[in-house]
Amino acid sequence: MNTVVIALLDKAWPPEESFVDGMLAEEVPRLQGLKVRLCVSKKGHNNRPVKRYGRAACLATLYIDKGLGRFLNLWAVFKLVLYQAKREKSRAKRVVLFVRNDPIYLLAASLLKKRVDRLVFLSTFPHEEYCGNALKRFVARVLIRIAGRRVDVVTGVSPIGTQRIHRLCPDSELGAHIPLLVDTPFVSNSGTSQVDKSTSTEPVFIYIGTHQKNRELEIVMSAIVKAVAAGVSARFNFVGAFEDEKERLVRVKGVPELIAEQVIVIENSVSRAEVPARLAAADVGLSLIPDKPIFFEASPTKLVEYMGAGLAVLASYGIPMQEQIVSESGGGLLVKWDVDAIAEAITRITKDPENLIRMQINARAYAEQKLKYSFYVPTFLELIGETQNSTR
């Protein structure tokens, strides 16, 4: 039977994200008999309501998830799904609703449960525990509990996250998780070999991602200052900072001097298409995340992208999936979230270029063997109630 997956995403156009790019817009639409429609908000869409995104169709017709738009989306999602489901059912197709994170989307989808064949809820982060004010978190929990009664299966990006959302939707099936992995460009476009990159007298460390206050990058900056003061010769690139975040980090003692010497470079965000080239010019990826409950169930996307690009990784303890990947792969070092521990690890990496090359090779090999979305296609098919054979 032909199947259409209507994916309601808490994203704006373009919906750039590892799972969207790698699974929903690439691997799933490759399968015979499976079509994917991504539904996102209108922001930056250029007034064209339907576009291609990878191998999927993308409908940018929803409202931005702010203020009044958050409530208008209840009707917008209801109308959109009702039309899409009715049309596909008239064509004798099986319809699956795949909702990511947003409780308003989930509520609208649950109201249409009888119109579709399966409702899947993906939770990538405990928004109902940590996002917004207390009232917003309370409303999110209530909406998820109400709508969750009609959810067929829940999933997440880590086992812990999947179990958390299942507690809010106890009538649903506990599905397998799909971690945030490497989509194709991050493997195929990393052109510099490990040996070429690591024979430099100054290895390059890179951090790409959010520079928000809760990431406490002041700790990392202080560790870099301490390592350089102890004789380390290396460069450190930070990509993804807003101007106010740059100003905050520059206030760390010793950082202005290292920026002046171009030992530390702090840049604004770059497009996702530019990231592979940045990774190809680096040696070590920094996946240093505070050891706090808010990050405990995370699936470390950047860690995986670093490894897929052939970088060794310097990662912190406190996130089970991160600890597992680094330990199993031999592709990097795990350290405590502490200035002294991070500085010591930086020193170890820079003083042992042969081991750095070994870690880079191990990281790339592990990513090729275990960290691609193609390996999780059977898991996704199980979530939507299909089998690999039925799509061929």
Side-chain angles (χ1 to χ4, degrees):
M1 181 183 292
N2 288 335
T3 298
V4 175
V5 177
I6 301 173
L8 301 167
L9 307 177
D10 56 333
K11 303 287 289 183
W13 173 267
E16 295 178 334
E17 194 256 0
S18 172
F19 180 78
V20 177
D21 292 356
M23 182 65 84
L24 294 179
E26 181 63 31
E27 293 297 338
V28 176
R30 286 177 180 271
L31 301 174
Q32 184 178 346
L34 264 177
K35 292 184 178 180
V36 177
R37 296 207 176 96
L38 310 173
C39 304
V40 301
S41 69
K42 302 174 184 178
K43 182 180 179 182
H45 185 261
N46 226 9
N47 295 321
R48 293 175 60 188
V50 182
K51 294 184 74 170
R52 296 298 301 178
Y53 189 77
R55 297 174 181 271
C58 188
L59 288 67
T61 60
L62 304 178
Y63 296 96
I64 296 296
D65 185 23
K66 290 183 180 179
L68 184 61
R70 183 176 294 119
F71 301 99
L72 291 175
N73 270 332
L74 181 62
W75 169 245
V77 171
F78 186 90
K79 184 172 68 171
L80 174 64
V81 173
L82 182 63
Y83 172 77
Q84 293 288 331
K86 184 177 180 180
R87 185 177 66 172
E88 299 309 330
K89 283 294 186 180
S90 71
R91 298 171 178 174
K93 292 186 178 180
R94 185 170 175 270
V95 178
V96 175
L97 289 183
F98 189 93
V99 183
R100 187 186 117 137
N101 289 328
D102 195 294
I104 293 289
Y105 293 1
L106 183 64
L107 179 61
S110 71
L111 296 175
L112 292 165
K113 177 62 177 68
K114 292 183 179 180
R115 301 272 186 162
V116 301
D117 297 277
R118 194 164 175 86
L119 175 54
V120 183
F121 185 39
L122 165 66
S123 178
T124 65
F125 181 82
H127 293 275
E128 75 285 351
E129 295 180 13
Y130 294 108
C131 286
N133 56 42
L135 177 61
K136 184 178 178 180
R137 296 194 297 270
F138 172 76
V139 171
R141 283 194 297 272
V142 170
L143 291 180
I144 292 172
R145 286 190 181 279
I146 293 172
R149 296 167 185 167
R150 297 184 179 183
V151 170
D152 291 299
V153 60
V154 294
T155 183
V157 295
S158 69
I160 296 169
T162 306
Q163 291 162 6
R164 169 188 54 79
I165 201 61
H166 186 252
R167 289 193 292 271
L168 289 176
C169 307
D171 296 331
S172 65
E173 174 189 342
L174 177 64
H177 75 284
I178 299 178
L180 298 176
L181 299 171
V182 182
D183 50 287
T184 304
F186 290 87
V187 176
S188 60
N189 291 350
S190 53
T192 309
S193 71
Q194 285 88 354
V195 174
D196 290 341
K197 290 192 290 188
S198 297
T199 51
S200 167
T201 56
E202 289 190 336
V204 177
F205 291 72
I206 191 167
Y207 172 89
I208 300 181
T210 178
H211 288 58
Q212 292 176 357
K213 202 169 184 177
N214 67 355
R215 288 303 180 103
E216 300 179 14
L217 287 175
E218 292 89 342
I219 297 292
V220 180
M221 291 292 177
S222 295
I224 292 170
V225 171
K226 182 167 186 174
V228 172
V232 162
S233 180
R235 288 183 289 131
F236 303 86
N237 294 342
F238 290 79
V239 181
F242 292 105
E243 290 304 318
D244 61 324
E245 294 167 341
K246 288 183 185 179
E247 293 173 6
R248 190 185 77 246
L249 296 175
V250 167
R251 291 197 291 268
V252 175
K253 184 178 180 180
V255 169
E257 292 80 2
L258 295 186
I259 290 177
E261 298 170 9
Q262 294 191 314
V263 172
I264 294 177
V265 176
I266 306 175
E267 302 180 62
N268 296 113
S269 296
V270 299
S271 70
R272 192 163 174 79
E274 296 177 73
V275 172
R278 299 301 183 95
L279 297 180
D283 300 282
V284 183
L286 298 174
S287 187
L288 298 166
I289 304 170
D291 184 6
K292 292 185 174 180
I294 188 173
F295 302 119
F296 187 63
E297 67 178 56
S299 178
T301 318
K302 294 305 175 185
L303 175 85
V304 171
E305 289 179 354
Y306 297 148
M307 294 174 68
L311 277 64
V313 291
L314 176 54
S316 50
Y317 288 107
I319 300 173
M321 284 196 67
Q322 181 157 278
E323 293 178 13
Q324 178 184 348
I325 291 171
V326 176
S327 298
E328 288 182 355
S329 68
L333 299 180
L334 284 164
V335 295
K336 293 181 180 178
W337 180 250
D338 170 80
V339 170
D340 292 340
I342 295 171
E344 181 184 349
I346 291 171
T347 302
R348 286 176 57 192
I349 290 171
T350 56
K351 298 298 184 183
D352 192 347
E354 291 185 2
N355 188 46
L356 173 54
I357 293 173
R358 281 194 296 271
M359 290 191 296
Q360 289 171 335
I361 293 171
N362 290 344
R364 181 61 177 271
Y366 188 86
E368 290 280 1
Q369 294 165 10
K370 294 191 176 183
L371 300 180
K372 290 183 179 179
Y373 279 109
S374 56
F375 303 149
Y376 282 83
V377 168
T379 301
F380 184 86
L381 292 176
E382 184 178 345
L383 289 171
I384 66 171
E386 290 280 7
T387 63
Q388 189 85 47
N389 290 336
S390 67
T391 60
R392 291 179 176 175

